Amino acid sequence: MDEEYDVIVLGTGLKECILSGLLSVDGLKVLHMDRNDYYGGASTSLNLTQLWKRFRGDDKPPESLGSSREYNVDMIPKFMMANGGLVRVLIHTDVTKYLNFKAVDGSFVYNKKKIYKVPATDVEALKSPLMGLFEKRRARKFFIYVQDFEENDPKSHEGLDLNKVTAREVITKYGLEDDTIDFIGHALALHIDDSYLDEPAMEFVKKMKLYAESLARFEGGSPYIYPLYGLGELPQAFARLSAVYGGTYMLNKPECQVKFDDNGNAIGVTSEGETAKCKKVVCDPSYLPDKVRKVGKVARAICIMSHPIPDTNDSHSVQVILPQKQLGRKSDMYLFCCSYAHNVAPKGKFIAFVSTEAETDDPQVELKSGIDLLGPLDEIFYDTYDRYVPTNDHQVDSCYISSSYDATTHFESTVQDVLAMYTKITGKALDLSVDLSAASATAEE
């Protein structure tokens, strides 16, 4: 181990694996270590026996749930936007050759105590029971404006400079009602709160376009895709990629300690008496706890069921977003459901997650409005984890620390963190102009 590396990455979570892959492809010499004997860190994937061990101690899972091996329960489940940042990163690194994707059946939103399909185009707006007749027409006009909008074509801007005009002003121009704004902002543009309304509208419109273009990509019921066998495949795919480029992976390295010089600059990592030297350290918050601070907590329920979520058109994989206003909360709630259709459970079994940013210390009460939508449950586990963000200055200590995963059930915020870290580490922006068709063949099975 006594070699010198450009970068040592600690932890094999999704963010760390993606960065390790990107840096390897860039030609950097990367050593990737994890204190655990499994891939994935906080974002690992568990079979049934491991799930029981984590939440029920020495109890054994009931035989009625089927074979433990057929379960791949992702601890941080997130769907990928078909044309989104993560898919572009996967194509950029060519890691897609190790993964099989399948389209996700449904994308829904909770509105006035019911679940509705998220309308994403002018045609869907006219059909949607979410809105009354006149609101449908207004929404249709707004969707057409968004679909036709091209940043480089001033004719499509309808006199609005989206770098100056706020999202609220654009929406007001089309006269949309509060409930409509709620589902467009949270379930389509995937904003996690309402602060976007007072920011320039460009980002909001681009996010809506991303959703519509992703939806059109596979002509499925949602804009999302998900790997067969779940996200646990991703860290392993990146480990294989890294090896191709000469990177080194080491699991089961206990007590990885970052070593600093007299100026507080990271110079290497020690484990079991050996030190590997490096210029930069990349890690998750658990490896440098004195350089992060707690900013919140995620509350979630992990459920095993024998049926799809009711009112989702029997979708075998689905996301339902419950906007905060609909629940009288400060943060949105998310339902994630996947099943044997994506090989994450035995035939006839469904895995559902209900997650949100915790606002109380009682996840059972707090998550009730989401859990009530699931129908009968075979099993339920409650879990909370703290969210951390880095407080260090990477220019001083050469440490690049990822933020903890948030409660969202899609990858958009995760990718933003990865891309920002990549730019800090390398001093350049990642070129994401890739041929998106490279990830499509497997998604249409």
Side-chain angles (χ1 to χ4, degrees), residues 387-406:
R387 281 196 313 112
Y388 296 94
V389 296
T391 53
N392 66 314
D393 179 350
H394 62 86
Q395 290 168 322
V396 174
D397 60 14
S398 303
C399 295
Y400 301 81
I401 308 168
S402 61
S403 301
S404 306
Y405 299 95
D406 61 19

mmCIF file of all heavy atoms in Angstrom, residues 387-406:
data_model
loop_
_atom_site.group_PDB
_atom_site.id
_atom_site.type_symbol
_atom_site.label_atom_id
_atom_site.label_comp_id
_atom_site.label_asym_id
_atom_site.label_seq_id
_atom_site.Cartn_x
_atom_site.Cartn_y
_atom_site.Cartn_z
ATOM 1 N N ARG A 387 -28.190 14.013 8.533
ATOM 2 C CA ARG A 387 -27.608 14.548 7.295
ATOM 3 C C ARG A 387 -26.491 15.522 7.644
ATOM 4 O O ARG A 387 -26.675 16.420 8.468
ATOM 5 C CB ARG A 387 -28.666 15.290 6.470
ATOM 6 C CG ARG A 387 -29.569 14.378 5.674
ATOM 7 C CD ARG A 387 -30.343 15.110 4.595
ATOM 8 N NE ARG A 387 -30.970 16.338 5.040
ATOM 9 C CZ ARG A 387 -30.593 17.551 4.639
ATOM 10 N NH1 ARG A 387 -29.593 17.711 3.808
ATOM 11 N NH2 ARG A 387 -31.233 18.620 5.083
ATOM 12 N N TYR A 388 -25.343 15.360 7.005
ATOM 13 C CA TYR A 388 -24.181 16.218 7.255
ATOM 14 C C TYR A 388 -23.737 16.920 5.975
ATOM 15 O O TYR A 388 -23.899 16.386 4.877
ATOM 16 C CB TYR A 388 -23.006 15.376 7.779
ATOM 17 C CG TYR A 388 -23.271 14.731 9.112
ATOM 18 C CD1 TYR A 388 -23.763 13.431 9.191
ATOM 19 C CD2 TYR A 388 -23.042 15.429 10.303
ATOM 20 C CE1 TYR A 388 -24.019 12.834 10.412
ATOM 21 C CE2 TYR A 388 -23.282 14.831 11.531
ATOM 22 C CZ TYR A 388 -23.777 13.541 11.585
ATOM 23 O OH TYR A 388 -24.034 12.952 12.794
ATOM 24 N N VAL A 389 -23.176 18.108 6.145
ATOM 25 C CA VAL A 389 -22.526 18.807 5.023
ATOM 26 C C VAL A 389 -21.116 19.182 5.476
ATOM 27 O O VAL A 389 -20.863 19.371 6.673
ATOM 28 C CB VAL A 389 -23.286 20.085 4.589
ATOM 29 C CG1 VAL A 389 -24.662 19.751 4.042
ATOM 30 C CG2 VAL A 389 -23.392 21.075 5.738
ATOM 31 N N PRO A 390 -20.182 19.289 4.502
ATOM 32 C CA PRO A 390 -18.804 19.636 4.878
ATOM 33 C C PRO A 390 -18.687 21.081 5.352
ATOM 34 O O PRO A 390 -19.431 21.954 4.901
ATOM 35 C CB PRO A 390 -18.023 19.422 3.572
ATOM 36 C CG PRO A 390 -19.032 19.410 2.475
ATOM 37 C CD PRO A 390 -20.337 18.994 3.075
ATOM 38 N N THR A 391 -17.743 21.312 6.280
ATOM 39 C CA THR A 391 -17.495 22.681 6.770
ATOM 40 C C THR A 391 -16.057 23.105 6.468
ATOM 41 O O THR A 391 -15.652 24.209 6.795
ATOM 42 C CB THR A 391 -17.681 22.742 8.304
ATOM 43 O OG1 THR A 391 -16.858 21.717 8.892
ATOM 44 C CG2 THR A 391 -19.125 22.500 8.694
ATOM 45 N N ASN A 392 -15.293 22.215 5.866
ATOM 46 C CA ASN A 392 -13.862 22.499 5.662
ATOM 47 C C ASN A 392 -13.628 23.354 4.418
ATOM 48 O O ASN A 392 -14.533 23.519 3.583
ATOM 49 C CB ASN A 392 -13.096 21.178 5.511
ATOM 50 C CG ASN A 392 -13.508 20.433 4.242
ATOM 51 O OD1 ASN A 392 -14.690 20.299 3.940
ATOM 52 N ND2 ASN A 392 -12.538 19.951 3.488
ATOM 53 N N ASP A 393 -12.422 23.875 4.275
ATOM 54 C CA ASP A 393 -12.020 24.578 3.058
ATOM 55 C C ASP A 393 -11.042 23.662 2.314
ATOM 56 O O ASP A 393 -9.909 23.453 2.755
ATOM 57 C CB ASP A 393 -11.340 25.907 3.428
ATOM 58 C CG ASP A 393 -10.884 26.672 2.190
ATOM 59 O OD1 ASP A 393 -10.926 26.088 1.084
ATOM 60 O OD2 ASP A 393 -10.473 27.838 2.328
ATOM 61 N N HIS A 394 -11.499 23.101 1.190
ATOM 62 C CA HIS A 394 -10.674 22.108 0.485
ATOM 63 C C HIS A 394 -9.368 22.706 -0.039
ATOM 64 O O HIS A 394 -8.397 21.992 -0.281
ATOM 65 C CB HIS A 394 -11.472 21.475 -0.663
ATOM 66 C CG HIS A 394 -11.903 22.451 -1.714
ATOM 67 N ND1 HIS A 394 -11.105 22.810 -2.764
ATOM 68 C CD2 HIS A 394 -13.054 23.159 -1.853
ATOM 69 C CE1 HIS A 394 -11.749 23.688 -3.519
ATOM 70 N NE2 HIS A 394 -12.922 23.923 -2.985
ATOM 71 N N GLN A 395 -9.341 24.049 -0.189
ATOM 72 C CA GLN A 395 -8.101 24.670 -0.675
ATOM 73 C C GLN A 395 -7.023 24.653 0.416
ATOM 74 O O GLN A 395 -5.837 24.736 0.129
ATOM 75 C CB GLN A 395 -8.384 26.103 -1.136
ATOM 76 C CG GLN A 395 -9.204 26.096 -2.419
ATOM 77 C CD GLN A 395 -9.762 27.470 -2.769
ATOM 78 O OE1 GLN A 395 -10.173 28.222 -1.879
ATOM 79 N NE2 GLN A 395 -9.782 27.789 -4.027
ATOM 80 N N VAL A 396 -7.470 24.539 1.662
ATOM 81 C CA VAL A 396 -6.523 24.510 2.777
ATOM 82 C C VAL A 396 -6.094 23.074 3.108
ATOM 83 O O VAL A 396 -4.922 22.802 3.332
ATOM 84 C CB VAL A 396 -7.166 25.162 4.039
ATOM 85 C CG1 VAL A 396 -6.253 24.997 5.248
ATOM 86 C CG2 VAL A 396 -7.467 26.623 3.769
ATOM 87 N N ASP A 397 -7.074 22.134 3.119
ATOM 88 C CA ASP A 397 -6.740 20.791 3.625
ATOM 89 C C ASP A 397 -6.778 19.679 2.565
ATOM 90 O O ASP A 397 -6.512 18.521 2.887
ATOM 91 C CB ASP A 397 -7.663 20.421 4.802
ATOM 92 C CG ASP A 397 -9.142 20.412 4.412
ATOM 93 O OD1 ASP A 397 -9.443 20.432 3.202
ATOM 94 O OD2 ASP A 397 -9.994 20.367 5.325
ATOM 95 N N SER A 398 -7.102 20.032 1.301
ATOM 96 C CA SER A 398 -7.139 19.037 0.199
ATOM 97 C C SER A 398 -8.100 17.874 0.475
ATOM 98 O O SER A 398 -7.908 16.769 -0.026
ATOM 99 C CB SER A 398 -5.744 18.474 -0.086
ATOM 100 O OG SER A 398 -4.850 19.508 -0.391
ATOM 101 N N CYS A 399 -9.136 18.141 1.277
ATOM 102 C CA CYS A 399 -10.158 17.123 1.549
ATOM 103 C C CYS A 399 -11.468 17.520 0.858
ATOM 104 O O CYS A 399 -11.916 18.662 1.004
ATOM 105 C CB CYS A 399 -10.418 16.995 3.056
ATOM 106 S SG CYS A 399 -8.987 16.374 3.948
ATOM 107 N N TYR A 400 -12.032 16.588 0.153
ATOM 108 C CA TYR A 400 -13.268 16.845 -0.587
ATOM 109 C C TYR A 400 -14.325 15.889 -0.056
ATOM 110 O O TYR A 400 -14.258 14.681 -0.273
ATOM 111 C CB TYR A 400 -13.025 16.624 -2.084
ATOM 112 C CG TYR A 400 -11.925 17.521 -2.615
ATOM 113 C CD1 TYR A 400 -10.588 17.186 -2.449
ATOM 114 C CD2 TYR A 400 -12.239 18.727 -3.229
ATOM 115 C CE1 TYR A 400 -9.573 18.023 -2.893
ATOM 116 C CE2 TYR A 400 -11.230 19.581 -3.688
ATOM 117 C CZ TYR A 400 -9.906 19.217 -3.516
ATOM 118 O OH TYR A 400 -8.915 20.055 -3.955
ATOM 119 N N ILE A 401 -15.290 16.444 0.693
ATOM 120 C CA ILE A 401 -16.248 15.622 1.437
ATOM 121 C C ILE A 401 -17.631 15.769 0.815
ATOM 122 O O ILE A 401 -18.091 16.885 0.556
ATOM 123 C CB ILE A 401 -16.291 16.059 2.922
ATOM 124 C CG1 ILE A 401 -14.860 16.073 3.502
ATOM 125 C CG2 ILE A 401 -17.192 15.130 3.731
ATOM 126 C CD1 ILE A 401 -14.756 16.747 4.854
ATOM 127 N N SER A 402 -18.293 14.634 0.584
ATOM 128 C CA SER A 402 -19.639 14.700 0.004
ATOM 129 C C SER A 402 -20.655 15.036 1.097
ATOM 130 O O SER A 402 -20.380 14.875 2.288
ATOM 131 C CB SER A 402 -20.007 13.365 -0.644
ATOM 132 O OG SER A 402 -19.998 12.330 0.319
ATOM 133 N N SER A 403 -21.818 15.522 0.681
ATOM 134 C CA SER A 403 -22.924 15.741 1.627
ATOM 135 C C SER A 403 -23.687 14.431 1.784
ATOM 136 O O SER A 403 -23.721 13.610 0.868
ATOM 137 C CB SER A 403 -23.881 16.816 1.092
ATOM 138 O OG SER A 403 -23.187 18.016 0.888
ATOM 139 N N SER A 404 -24.354 14.259 2.924
ATOM 140 C CA SER A 404 -25.187 13.059 3.127
ATOM 141 C C SER A 404 -26.348 13.068 2.123
ATOM 142 O O SER A 404 -26.735 14.111 1.615
ATOM 143 C CB SER A 404 -25.773 13.058 4.538
ATOM 144 O OG SER A 404 -24.749 13.194 5.491
ATOM 145 N N TYR A 405 -26.923 11.890 1.889
ATOM 146 C CA TYR A 405 -28.038 11.776 0.938
ATOM 147 C C TYR A 405 -29.304 12.365 1.550
ATOM 148 O O TYR A 405 -29.597 12.158 2.723
ATOM 149 C CB TYR A 405 -28.261 10.301 0.580
ATOM 150 C CG TYR A 405 -27.047 9.703 -0.079
ATOM 151 C CD1 TYR A 405 -26.094 9.010 0.664
ATOM 152 C CD2 TYR A 405 -26.820 9.870 -1.441
ATOM 153 C CE1 TYR A 405 -24.950 8.491 0.068
ATOM 154 C CE2 TYR A 405 -25.678 9.355 -2.049
ATOM 155 C CZ TYR A 405 -24.752 8.671 -1.292
ATOM 156 O OH TYR A 405 -23.620 8.171 -1.885
ATOM 157 N N ASP A 406 -30.062 13.094 0.713
ATOM 158 C CA ASP A 406 -31.305 13.701 1.219
ATOM 159 C C ASP A 406 -32.468 12.714 1.083
ATOM 160 O O ASP A 406 -32.287 11.560 0.685
ATOM 161 C CB ASP A 406 -31.596 15.026 0.499
ATOM 162 C CG ASP A 406 -31.789 14.841 -1.004
ATOM 163 O OD1 ASP A 406 -32.063 13.699 -1.445
ATOM 164 O OD2 ASP A 406 -31.675 15.834 -1.739
#
